[in-house]
Amino acid sequence: MKVSIGYLPLKSIEADVYMHPIRVEGKECIAYEPMAEEAVIALVTKHFCNGKVPEVIQNYFDEMDDGYLFSESNFDEFDLEKIENMDTLIVGKDILLHPRLNNIKKFLEILSYFGGIKIEGIRLEGIFEPSDPELAEIVETEKEVLPDEVDELESFDGSVVYECDDPKVVKQQELLCSQQFVIANKIKTNEVYVEGELKIIRKLPELKGTFGIILEVAKDYPFKKVTIKNKE
């Protein structure tokens, strides 16, 4: 099973399950809160690697506050069950732009080496691979790199849009959104100002949730809190 994380489900990639804050009807999607990728990947790594890792990493897993991470990320045990047969994790651009990328990579190293999951879309260093071929079954202790504690999640209350760089998904003048987004943001006209820039509302029936999508090349994490005003 191929699972993607950090890829907008509207994009054309070959995945069986899409993990992303934005859900699309007709595709198998697992939603979580924006910026929660570090927590989600930590929980996924523990799920696939628990009991298979050196003691120092196992101690880290044992001390993880799973309940807090599940609650804050809006990701749960049922979501883990949906990806039980995962053999490949495709890492999307959202992860590469995440402020906690370096720590996320540590979890991915563990997931790859001890969980046997193929990781695509990001270059890993293979920090758990022994340098001496004769020690193929031994992980050298100096290479046991523990992740830092998962960071607290930033709140994304209010109006939030996702910066997508694909003009096949959304046009420059558009604000792509769901009916839920229109209601949540009290949009009453077909045109609105997003951070002062005029956008035409285009509702997509299969799009679910309360995040809009605009055409923009993201320079950092692509979910942004914005001001939206109806055109008078």
Side-chain angles (χ1 to χ4, degrees):
M1 173 190 283
K2 285 189 173 184
V3 177
S4 72
I5 184 166
Y7 262 111
L8 181 66
L10 288 169
K11 288 196 169 187
S12 298
I13 62 166
E14 292 185 8
D16 300 298
V17 179
Y18 298 80
M19 295 200 293
H20 196 271
I22 293 174
R23 293 181 293 114
V24 175
E25 195 173 85
K27 294 187 176 181
E28 186 66 45
C29 294
I30 295 174
Y32 52 80
E33 294 297 317
M35 199 67 84
E37 287 85 357
E38 182 189 19
V40 171
I41 289 175
L43 290 164
V44 169
T45 300
K46 179 175 179 177
H47 179 75
F48 281 93
C49 302
N50 208 21
K52 304 176 183 178
V53 293
E55 183 178 0
V56 64
I57 300 176
Q58 188 60 51
N59 289 341
Y60 178 94
F61 284 159
D62 292 344
E63 292 174 7
M64 267 178 58
D65 189 346
D66 295 13
Y68 172 78
L69 296 180
F70 279 128
S71 175
E72 290 297 298
S73 63
N74 201 22
F75 178 82
D76 59 33
E77 293 94 336
F78 298 106
D79 295 325
L80 287 172
E81 290 178 7
K82 292 177 184 177
I83 61 170
E84 189 65 49
N85 296 320
M86 177 177 73
D87 54 29
T88 302
L89 181 64
I90 306 167
V91 176
K93 191 174 181 180
D94 296 6
I95 307 295
L96 304 181
L97 295 172
H98 198 286
R100 299 280 291 176
L101 173 61
N102 288 338
N103 207 47
I104 289 172
K105 287 175 72 173
K106 292 179 182 179
F107 286 113
L108 293 175
E109 294 275 9
I110 296 170
L111 182 60
S112 172
Y113 189 82
F114 298 104
I117 304 298
K118 183 180 180 182
I119 309 296
E120 297 182 353
I122 189 172
R123 183 177 179 274
L124 300 179
E125 302 299 325
I127 57 176
F128 294 105
E129 296 287 348
S131 56
D132 187 339
E134 295 182 4
L135 303 177
E137 296 183 0
I138 301 174
V139 177
E140 298 167 87
T141 55
E142 65 267 26
K143 292 190 176 181
E144 292 176 347
V145 181
L146 276 179
D148 297 328
E149 186 177 349
V150 175
D151 203 12
E152 290 187 12
L153 266 64
E154 179 183 344
S155 171
F156 276 83
D157 294 335
S159 301
V160 178
V161 298
Y162 177 82
E163 295 178 337
C164 173
D165 60 3
D166 188 349
K168 293 179 182 179
V169 172
V170 59
K171 304 301 181 187
Q172 178 64 52
Q173 72 276 16
E174 292 178 337
L175 170 58
L176 191 62
C177 62
S178 65
Q179 179 63 26
Q180 293 166 278
F181 180 90
V182 169
I183 295 170
N185 290 278
K186 300 178 181 177
I187 294 173
K188 301 174 183 177
T189 59
N190 290 326
E191 295 179 307
V192 295
Y193 290 99
V194 179
E195 292 295 292
E197 185 177 350
L198 188 62
K199 298 286 186 182
I200 300 169
I201 296 291
R202 179 160 75 92
K203 288 187 284 187
L204 200 62
E206 61 266 34
L207 199 60
K208 303 301 176 185
T210 57
F211 306 118
I213 302 172
I214 61 171
L215 184 66
E216 189 73 42
V217 177
K219 297 179 177 63
D220 48 22
Y221 190 71
F223 281 92
K224 307 292 184 186
K225 289 183 270 191
V226 295
T227 300
I228 296 177
K229 293 183 179 180
N230 288 294
K231 183 183 178 184
E232 299 293 338

